[in-house]
Amino acid sequence: MVRHPQWVSNIVVVPKKIDKIRVYVDYRCLNKASSKDNFHLPHIDVPIDNVVRSLTYLFMDSFSRYNQIKMANKDKEKTIFVTLRGTFCFKVMSFKLKNIGTAYQRAIVTLFHDMMHKEIGIVQNTLRF
């Protein structure tokens, strides 16, 4: 439990078409203060060229990919946001955090490390065997 968090973000309500709204957590200040994760993201041409030569394909549904990566306990308090119903934090990675793309890429590379460049190639949401 965090009594006096260093980071507290507000929510932003954005109107959408057809009388709907979308709620975002405004992480602009946290993202400005966060250092960039320099984990290598592959240039898109290389994995696509490798996939073209394959005979078999497997498509992995990673629609909720960021929401499957758990936040480190020490970082949960940085995602605290305030609503009229209370103060909350994320237990999993939030889409609007600065380094979410590299965190996901690192998780996929770690998961498939033994197969990388042998029988598997990764193109965004596609695995090649």
Side-chain angles (χ1 to χ4, degrees), residues 31-72:
N31 285 337
K32 281 182 186 177
S34 299
S35 59
K36 184 174 181 337
D37 183 351
N38 288 319
F39 187 79
H40 173 69
L41 295 175
H43 193 272
I44 194 66
D45 292 346
V46 174
I48 287 180
D49 288 344
N50 292 335
V51 166
V52 170
R53 296 186 206 111
S54 299
L55 298 174
T56 307
Y57 299 93
L58 166 71
F59 294 91
M60 182 174 75
D61 180 10
S62 57
F63 176 75
S64 299
R65 59 188 169 258
Y66 306 132
N67 295 328
Q68 296 175 31
I69 302 173
K70 292 185 178 182
M71 293 285 295

Side-chain angles (χ1 to χ4, degrees), residues 8-25:
V8 179
S9 300
N10 292 312
I11 59 170
V12 178
V13 179
V14 179
K16 290 180 61 178
K17 296 178 183 177
I18 315 171
D19 298 326
K20 292 186 178 185
I21 62 168
R22 179 161 294 186
V23 179
Y24 292 99
V25 179

